[in-house]
Each structure stands twice: as C-alpha cells, then as structure tokens.
Amino acid sequence: MHLEKDEILSESLEVKLDYYVYEYVIKENQEVFYVGKGTSKRAWRDTRNAACEQIKNEYNWEIRIVKENLTEEEALNLEKELIQKYRKSGDLLTNILPGGIKATEAEIIANVKYLLFLLEKEVINISLNEIANIFLLSISTVWHIANDGHYSEVDPEIPKNINDIISQYHVNAYNEERTRAGNIKYVLSLLDIGVIKCRQAKIADLFGMTPANISNIKKEKTHADVPELIPENIGEILKKLNPFELSEEEKLKGRISFILRLRSQGIISITNTDIAKILNTKTHLIAEFNRTDEDRKYSFKEVRPSDEIMIKLSSYFILN
C-alpha cells in the first residue's frame, strides 16, 4: 500500500514536456504577426482575435514552431520574451495580451468576468470564442464562467489592455464577422432587385457560410443591427452572378429548345434519344419539354448549338 502511494506521488510530480511556442508568419516577407504557446493542435485550430484573423484572410501565411518539448512555465516565459522582443523592434504583432499568462490565474478569470459584464451591458460586441482566444482559455471554460457561475469567488476586474479590447470589439466595431454580414446583406439586396442571379446557397459559398447562416441574416435573426456594406470585391461578385450570363444548365436547355423547334417546324427529323446522345444528356430531360401539362413543361430561351453540334445534327435535316 505504501508503494502504491509513492507511485501516485511520483506520477503527480512528473514534469510534462508537451508545450510548444509557435508563430504565425506572412510568407512573402517572413513578418511575424502572432506569437502563441500551446499543446496538441492548438496552433492549427481555432480563431484568434479579429486583427489576427484579418491578416490570415488577406495574406499567405504559415505556422512556425519556435521550440517544442517545453514545460508550461518554459512555454509561457518564451512566449512573453518573444512578444516583448518583436514589439521592442517595432513589429506590429496582433497579440492583445503581453504573453506569459497562465489561463487559470485569478486575474484572467476576473478580466473575463469584466468583459462578460461589458457584453451584457452592450458596450462591446464579442463572442465567447473571441474572449477565450484573447485570454488563451478554452471555450468551455469561458462558457462555464458565463453560464454556470464557475469561479464565483472571483470579482470582475478591468483588464490592463481594456483600451485595445474596446477599440476592437466596441458595439459598433466592424470586425470581420460584422463586415461579412453587412456584405451579405448588400448582395442579398442585389438578388432581390434582380441585379444578380443565383440561389442563396451560392451566396453562402461565396462567403464561406452555410445557407442557414444566410437565411438567418436575411430574416434578421442575426446581425439585425448591421447595415448593408458594399463588399470590396463587388465587381468580382457581379461577374460571377451576372443575370445575363447563362449557366451551363441554362445553355443546355436552351440548345434543347432550339433543336426541338427545328423538329416541330419539320426542318429536322430526330428522336429524343438521339438529341440526348448528341447533347450528352439524359433522354428524360428532353421529354420534359414535350409534356402536355403546360405548368410542368420546360420552356427556355433558345441557345444556338455550337458548330460541332450543328455538324452532328446535319444528317437529321429533312431535304425538300
């Protein structure tokens, strides 16, 4: 029994060397824009603060592991040392915290509580995930502080860098998420008046969101306070969703309409099966143009087939 206790004590005193320090670096000029410490896949997952994420979106960047196999204390010290070094040399890091802070320290919990207080009072507009990233906490820790009363013995305390935090996350700040929502509203307004042509799912693809996200923004279930904002790449969006540009599906159905008109006028004699073979499509699609039920009958603006297709059709022309 005594030996078992010794083994437990030995295990509890074992030093874990599973921490590392990493940097986010712009590939083009090798400029460091974020320094962090972590374990496992921390460097490769989750978002950081808004400024950091903006750089990620605008530049080609990479992750550089500075040093690994560290204790947490060693990682904290190296992280803090690097942040101080880069800032002293004039590099514009996006880190909000000065580094070297343990996630479970009472001061950090107190700072989180203060930000939750500002969030409740609508002074700042920030997600729990963004709060977690600012203080290097897990999202579950912040969620429990916000919802379950964890660390109830700790009183809220104003963070030393409150100026930077409010500057980035004040209620009217246009961080990446709010800007994107405003851009989506603008594009949806173009869709409503027919300036562009697409399904909402296509807009979701353009902005890296789900159709449900787009639907919620349109119905103002989310981001109701964000006005329409013109996207910086509006020209590119207009070209992609040009209502005068036929999709491949529309072109195909336009060619079918063209060929069927020739058939109805007695200019060519051709079966639905042969039309399908020439256009490399399904016979049942051709049949949809010949329904007796007018409500379900396909009707598309004609598109003249390419010269290659017209040559294939030539043997079906009726010679008078």
Side-chain angles (χ1 to χ4, degrees), residues 187-199:
V187 173
L188 286 171
S189 73
L190 297 183
L191 180 63
D192 287 341
I193 62 176
V195 172
I196 60 173
K197 182 181 67 174
C198 68
R199 295 189 177 94

Side-chain angles (χ1 to χ4, degrees), residues 17-32:
L17 301 174
D18 53 2
Y19 284 84
Y20 59 86
V21 172
Y22 63 92
E23 296 173 341
Y24 289 163
V25 184
I26 296 174
K27 285 185 178 181
E28 184 180 0
N29 55 16
Q30 289 300 293
E31 181 181 337
V32 177

Side-chain angles (χ1 to χ4, degrees), residues 78-305:
L78 179 56
E79 176 196 41
K80 184 174 183 178
E81 178 187 323
L82 287 171
I83 290 174
Q84 289 176 342
K85 182 187 83 171
Y86 287 129
R87 285 188 169 152
K88 194 173 290 184
S89 63
D91 292 331
L92 298 176
L93 293 180
T94 58
N95 293 72
I96 293 179
L97 290 178
I101 299 175
K102 284 189 177 180
T104 54
E105 287 181 358
E107 181 183 357
I108 298 302
I109 304 303
N111 291 166
V112 169
K113 284 193 168 186
Y114 187 79
L115 293 194
L116 291 171
F117 164 72
L118 294 184
L119 178 62
E120 180 185 356
K121 298 297 183 181
E122 299 184 350
V123 173
I124 59 174
N125 183 14
I126 190 170
S127 68
L128 298 188
N129 190 55
E130 286 170 322
I131 293 176
N133 287 323
I134 286 174
F135 294 105
L136 304 179
L137 295 169
S138 68
I139 181 64
S140 60
T141 299
V142 176
W143 189 90
H144 285 303
I145 295 171
N147 295 282
D148 289 348
H150 278 41
Y151 306 101
S152 57
E153 73 283 359
V154 179
D155 294 324
E157 185 175 316
I158 300 175
K160 294 182 177 66
N161 57 332
I162 190 63
N163 288 345
D164 293 334
I165 293 174
I166 290 184
S167 172
Q168 283 197 43
Y169 297 103
H170 67 83
V171 73
N172 294 318
Y174 282 93
N175 56 26
E176 181 188 356
E177 181 184 345
R178 287 169 61 81
T179 300
R180 182 166 57 173
N183 291 162
I184 289 169
K185 285 188 175 185
Y186 182 81
V187 173
L188 286 171
S189 73
L190 297 183
L191 180 63
D192 287 341
I193 62 176
V195 172
I196 60 173
K197 182 181 67 174
C198 68
R199 295 189 177 94
Q200 284 189 190
K202 179 64 175 177
I203 296 175
D205 288 340
L206 287 176
F207 288 94
M209 302 185 81
T210 67
N213 293 146
I214 304 299
S215 179
N216 286 337
I217 291 173
K218 184 177 178 64
K219 295 174 182 176
E220 296 202 330
K221 290 183 178 179
T222 62
H223 303 91
D225 61 322
V226 178
E228 295 177 7
L229 296 171
I230 301 176
E232 292 181 1
N233 63 335
I234 185 60
E236 180 184 335
I237 293 173
L238 290 173
K239 288 178 182 177
K240 285 183 177 179
L241 307 180
N242 184 358
F244 302 104
E245 184 72 29
L246 296 180
S247 67
E248 289 305 313
E249 180 184 359
E250 289 169 330
K251 289 177 184 176
L252 171 61
K253 291 178 178 178
R255 294 184 189 112
I256 294 172
S257 294
F258 179 90
I259 295 170
L260 290 178
R261 178 178 60 80
L262 296 184
R263 186 172 74 178
S264 68
Q265 293 175 344
I267 298 173
I268 62 173
S269 177
I270 189 170
T271 65
N272 288 352
T273 302
D274 286 342
I275 295 174
K277 285 180 181 177
I278 289 172
L279 296 179
N280 192 29
T281 188
K282 303 294 184 183
T283 304
H284 70 79
L285 179 62
I286 315 298
E288 292 296 323
F289 287 78
N290 299 299
R291 284 183 174 275
T292 54
D293 183 349
E294 291 295 326
D295 291 336
R296 299 179 63 192
K297 186 177 180 180
Y298 279 0
S299 177
F300 281 85
K301 181 180 179 181
E302 290 185 9
V303 174
R304 189 183 189 282

